[in-house]
Amino acid sequence: MTKFVKIAAVAAALLGTAPAFAATSVTGAAPSATARIIRPLTLTATGSLNFGTIVMNNVTANRTVTVNPDGSITCAVELVCDTTGSFVTYNVTGTNGQTVNIIKNTSTLTGSNSGSLTLTPVGANSVVLTNSGAPGKDFPIGGSIDIAPTTIDGVYTGTVDVQVDYN
């Protein structure tokens, strides 16, 4: 019985002792945290994109007419165009110093006598905001259309599809 009591005493002593390793805390360089807060973008437009009157003069292939962002018109051979048109002026507001991408999507102009033309907006690809909020940053957008030998005469209308997003 003496052996049993000694074994039981040894087991109790082992169970009551602290573990051989102790919990330790580790300190080191903490990672940084950042947050970028920006204002939402707003986009407004004034004016309209107007190519003026275009006369087809025995057009033999697709010919391009462009209203440049300064209002001048580039007119291909076999076409007679007005010398100036009008462009759209957009205004974007947001956060000062941020670069804003200008996304220009093609759209369809529908003819009053049937037919359609594809409008491709032209202008800057981005602007940098010089203030937060009003007055915002203005930028002009012109456009190009292709006139085919089969283009039907009439008045063509549609929308200029321009969007903006932070870079």
Side-chain angles (χ1 to χ4, degrees):
M1 177 98 135
T2 310
K3 282 185 171 183
F4 178 72
V5 172
K6 284 183 181 178
I7 292 174
V10 170
L14 286 176
L15 289 176
T17 61
F21 58 92
T24 59
S25 64
V26 177
T27 60
S32 65
T34 60
R36 179 177 164 205
I37 309 299
I38 57 176
R39 296 176 187 269
L41 291 173
T42 63
L43 182 66
T44 57
T46 57
S48 63
L49 182 57
N50 188 339
F51 290 85
T53 301
I54 302 165
V55 179
M56 296 175 54
N57 191 15
N58 298 317
V59 175
T60 59
N62 285 358
R63 304 296 181 204
T64 303
V65 177
T66 302
V67 173
N68 299 299
D70 65 359
S72 65
I73 292 182
T74 304
C75 188
V77 297
E78 299 178 342
L79 299 173
V80 178
C81 303
D82 287 341
T83 56
T84 58
S86 63
F87 54 89
V88 181
T89 299
Y90 285 91
N91 180 274
V92 61
T93 64
T95 298
N96 182 33
Q98 297 297 308
T99 299
V100 176
N101 293 324
I102 302 169
I103 303 150
K104 301 173 293 288
N105 300 304
T106 60
S107 59
T108 300
L109 304 181
T110 304
S112 58
N113 294 323
S114 177
S116 64
L117 298 172
T118 299
L119 169 66
T120 303
V122 298
N125 292 323
S126 65
V127 294
V128 176
L129 297 176
T130 55
N131 58 60
S132 289
K137 178 77 172 178
D138 288 339
F139 61 92
I141 294 291
S144 291
I145 54 174
D146 286 330
I147 309 294
T150 57
T151 299
I152 299 169
D153 61 339
V155 177
Y156 288 79
T157 58
T159 59
V160 181
D161 185 1
V162 172
Q163 303 166 3
V164 291
D165 196 1
Y166 281 113
N167 189 13

